[in-house]
Amino acid sequence: MAKNEVDQPERTPTVILFAETRGFTGMSDMLNPEVVLARVGEFVSFVSRAVEEHEGAVVDVLSDTLMATFTGQDDAQHAVAAAREIQGGFAAIAEAWQRDFGIRAAVSMGLHCGDAVVGFAKNSPNPEQLFVFGDCVSIANRLMHRARAGEYVMSETLLELAREMGVTIDAEDLPPLEIPRRDPIRLYGVLIDPLLDFTRA
C-alpha cells in the first residue's frame, strides 16, 4: 500500500494475514550466513508475490515473518486465495531447501478480519512506514502461532465471509482462542499435509 493511497489516517475493515516459516530458524545457526539470507529473501519474495497477486500488500517484515493486509469488497476471498497459494506453492520451495541445504521447513499462517487503524505517523523516524493497528492484527498474529507447520488458521468470522463470497473451504474445527473477558473465538484450520506437522509430537 503506497503512501499516496492513504491520504489521511483511517479506520477501515481489513483482513490481516501473518505468515512465517517453521523449522528454518532452528537450522539457521548451522548454515552459512549467505545461505540463510538467501533463503529468507526467497521466502519473503515468494509470499509478497502471492499477496500482491491477490490484491493484498505486505506491510511489515520481521526476519521470516510477514504481515499482509487486504482491503476492499472482496478482501476475505482474496486473503484466502493468497493463503492457499502460499501454502501450496511453498511445497516446492521446501523440497528444494531440504534437498540442497538439509532444511526441513514449512509455512504457517494466521488470518483474521476486523476494523484496523491504517496510516502514516508523520512524527515517526520513518514517515514512509505504514502503521496498521487493531484487534484484528493481534488476533491474526495469535492464530499464526496457533497454526501447525504447513497449516493456516482462520477465525470463524473470516471463514464465514469467504464462504458468503462463494469460496469453498474444507477446514478443520479447532479449539477456540480464549481471551480473558471476551467470548471465545472459534477457529478453523487447513492443513495441507499432516506429515508436515513436524513441530509437534
Side-chain angles (χ1 to χ4, degrees):
M1 188 176 294
K3 186 169 183 178
N4 59 7
E5 294 177 331
V6 183
D7 295 328
Q8 295 295 329
E10 60 181 357
R11 181 175 282 104
T12 183
T14 306
V15 176
I16 304 294
L17 182 153
F18 275 93
E20 71 174 4
T21 60
R22 294 285 173 85
F24 173 68
T25 303
M27 290 288 298
S28 62
D29 289 342
M30 297 177 279
L31 296 170
N32 184 297
E34 292 182 359
V35 171
V36 172
L37 293 178
R39 301 290 70 74
V40 170
E42 184 178 6
F43 176 70
V44 170
S45 296
F46 164 69
V47 173
S48 297
R49 282 195 303 271
V51 166
E52 291 166 5
E53 285 172 3
H54 294 283
E55 302 187 26
V58 171
V59 296
D60 194 25
V61 179
L62 178 61
S63 299
D64 62 345
T65 301
L66 294 88
M67 174 180 142
T69 61
F70 297 80
T71 56
Q73 186 175 358
D74 299 326
D75 49 5
Q77 179 181 1
H78 293 151
V80 171
R84 285 175 166 171
E85 184 169 331
I86 293 166
Q87 185 186 55
F90 189 75
I93 295 175
E95 182 180 351
W97 285 10
Q98 185 160 16
R99 181 189 65 239
D100 298 338
F101 307 105
I103 301 169
R104 191 179 183 195
V107 61
S108 299
M109 291 172 279
L111 297 91
H112 185 53
C113 55
D115 287 346
V117 172
V118 180
F120 297 90
K122 295 179 181 179
N123 58 348
S124 166
N126 180 10
E128 302 295 320
Q129 172 66 49
L130 179 69
F131 289 92
V132 182
F133 284 99
D135 192 53
C136 57
V137 176
S138 59
I139 290 176
N141 185 263
R142 289 189 186 205
L143 301 195
M144 178 189 68
H145 290 294
R146 286 280 294 268
R148 293 165 285 184
E151 180 180 41
Y152 64 88
V153 172
M154 70 191 83
S155 63
E156 182 179 42
T157 305
L158 179 61
L159 177 69
E160 289 180 348
L161 283 174
R163 284 177 171 169
E164 287 174 5
M165 296 174 185
V167 180
T168 301
I169 304 174
D170 183 14
E172 175 187 356
D173 195 350
L174 301 175
L177 176 64
E178 303 279 355
I179 301 177
R181 298 180 297 279
R182 291 184 51 170
D183 292 336
I185 298 174
R186 294 188 64 183
L187 305 181
Y188 295 86
V190 179
L191 185 62
I192 191 170
D193 183 351
L195 296 178
L196 283 174
D197 187 18
F198 51 79
T199 58
R200 301 182 185 183

